Amino acid sequence: MKIMIRRSPEIGLSIYVPKKDLEEPVVEMEHEAMWGGWIRIANGWVLDLPEMDEDTRLPITVNARKRAEAEEV
């Protein structure tokens, strides 16, 4: 699914999913650099992010994969 990742002073990292009209803060990350690992957002979803350079600028739209409930960390 396509998601937009951005950083704001109030929330920190957050994602927006246009198809669901959903905006949620990122609450946990597998890697400090975020890319190539999973992130957990406030509603409990776990999303796998693509490999990208550590210095990738935000905001950015990427293809992420939502993990099934059984796959979650």
Side-chain angles (χ1 to χ4, degrees):
M1 80 175 67
K2 290 222 184 259
I3 65 168
M4 184 185 74
I5 302 172
R6 68 180 181 169
R7 184 181 311 274
S8 68
E10 305 86 37
I11 301 174
L13 280 174
S14 66
I15 68 142
Y16 177 68
V17 183
K19 283 194 170 195
K20 305 276 187 193
D21 193 26
L22 172 75
E23 185 167 7
E24 292 285 339
V26 174
V27 295
E28 188 177 359
M29 293 186 292
E30 180 178 13
H31 304 298
E32 187 176 320
M34 177 172 52
W35 305 114
W38 55 263
I39 60 171
R40 184 183 311 276
I41 59 175
N43 71 356
W45 287 6
V46 176
L47 303 171
D48 289 316
L49 298 180
E51 288 281 345
M52 297 184 87
D53 288 337
E54 193 172 317
D55 60 351
T56 300
R57 296 180 61 138
L58 300 178
I60 189 169
T61 300
V62 298
N63 280 317
R65 186 179 75 83
K66 182 178 180 263
R67 289 189 179 181
E69 299 289 325
E71 288 183 82
E72 292 188 5
V73 185

